[in-house]
């Protein structure tokens, strides 16, 4: 059984959430006794007229995952804690779906948190059984979720950002759709957060919290640069059920420790 993770003084900052919890959300929480695989569903807003770049989507997905895990509702006696614990006891599976127009608006009714970052919007939903899904999520497409490598406005949106506490590198050795890459970045961010909580790195967690759990995703590494990261403290290996052929290392992550940790 997974240990309880309770980072002192690192609750989710309220201004990172876009919108309020829907009134019927409590009624949509899953039954933790439901057997079978569980997953965290990530919904990405898809607007053809204003597509964010792939890296922005990956960063928003990673930020949304940690925002949900750090939320007081996900810990101790919080309303979401039983579902989060049930999911963490198995594989930390994540599925990325794209939502357009009214479907994006309606998916806000599913319990979870929404993060907006560099033009990308991602909602991380409270973990639930992989099947059956609430109709609001089941209607959203999974396969083929891809966003452009760059956009005209992205460099302007990113220009003034200070360095992130946590950096996640995507492998240059495998080709991933945006949906797959976003899920892998979500895994990496979760593993960093869990590592820091277990290590009692309260100052680093506070610095990350104060930056609204923002991460930097690097997708421009060469094979040589990737090899140089072989000792990164967090390494994510995908089982190879979709997109990649067999177990494949997809992401490596590290962080800048706070001086007082």
């Amino acid at each position: 059984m997974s240990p309880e993770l309770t980072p002192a003084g690192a609750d989710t900052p309220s201004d990172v959430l876009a919108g309020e919890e829907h009134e019927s959300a409590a009624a949509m929480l899953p039954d933790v006794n439901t057997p079978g695989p569980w997953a965290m569903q990530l919904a990405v807003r898809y607007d053809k007229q204003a597509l964010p770049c792939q890296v922005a989507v990956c960063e928003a997905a990673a930020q949304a995952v940690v925002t949900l895990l750090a939320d007081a509702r996900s810990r101790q006696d919080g309303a979401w804690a039983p579902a989060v614990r049930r999911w963490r006891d198995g594989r930390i599976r994540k599925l990325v779906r794209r939502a357009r127009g009214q479907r994006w608006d309606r998916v806000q009714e599913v319990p979870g948190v929404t993060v907006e970052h560099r033009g990308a919007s991602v909602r991380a939903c409270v973990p639930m059984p992989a099947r059956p899904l609430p109709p609001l999520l089941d209607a959203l497409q999974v396969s083929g979720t891809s966003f452009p490598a760059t956009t005209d406005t992205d460099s302007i949106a990113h220009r003034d950002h200070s360095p992130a506490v946590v950096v996640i590198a995507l492998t240059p050795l495998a080709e991933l759709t945006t949906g797959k890459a976003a899920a892998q970045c979500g895994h990496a961010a979760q593993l960093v957060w869990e590592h820091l909580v277990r290590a009692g790195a309260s100052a680093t967690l506070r610095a990350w919290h104060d930056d609204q759990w923002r991460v930097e995703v690097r997708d421009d590494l060469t094979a040589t640069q990737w090899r140089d990261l072989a000792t990164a403290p967090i390494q994510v290996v995908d089982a190879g059920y979709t997109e990649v052929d067999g177990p494949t290392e997809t992401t490596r992550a590290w962080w800048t420790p706070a001086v007082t940790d």
Side-chain angles (χ1 to χ4, degrees), residues 137-198:
L137 281 169
D138 205 24
L140 305 183
Q141 192 166 348
V142 176
S143 62
T145 299
S146 291
F147 287 76
T150 60
T151 64
D152 292 338
T153 59
D154 183 66
S155 60
I156 297 174
H158 193 49
R159 183 180 301 161
D160 296 329
H161 279 182
S162 59
V165 173
V166 174
V167 181
I168 300 169
L170 281 162
T171 178
L173 307 180
E175 191 170 330
L176 307 176
T177 64
T178 305
K180 184 73 169 183
Q184 300 303 303
C185 289
H187 294 334
Q190 175 176 349
L191 294 174
V192 170
W193 184 80
E194 291 180 351
H195 176 92
L196 293 174
V197 171
R198 290 192 182 100

Side-chain angles (χ1 to χ4, degrees), residues 42 58-59 61-63 65-66 69 87 92 94 166-171 180-196 208 213 215-218 226 232-238 249-255:
L42 300 171
C58 290
E59 290 176 344
Q63 185 178 357
V65 168
V66 179
L69 293 173
W87 168 65
I92 54 169
K94 297 177 182 69
V166 174
V167 181
I168 300 169
L170 281 162
T171 178
K180 184 73 169 183
Q184 300 303 303
C185 289
H187 294 334
Q190 175 176 349
L191 294 174
V192 170
W193 184 80
E194 291 180 351
H195 176 92
L196 293 174
W208 194 11
W213 309 113
V215 307
E216 177 187 352
V217 170
R218 295 284 307 277
W226 177 256
I234 298 297
Q235 302 181 18
V236 176
V237 177
D238 184 75
E249 190 176 359
T250 56
T251 54
R252 294 173 176 174
W254 61 98
W255 55 90

Side-chain angles (χ1 to χ4, degrees), residues 77 98 136:
D77 297 327
R98 62 183 184 270
L136 292 176

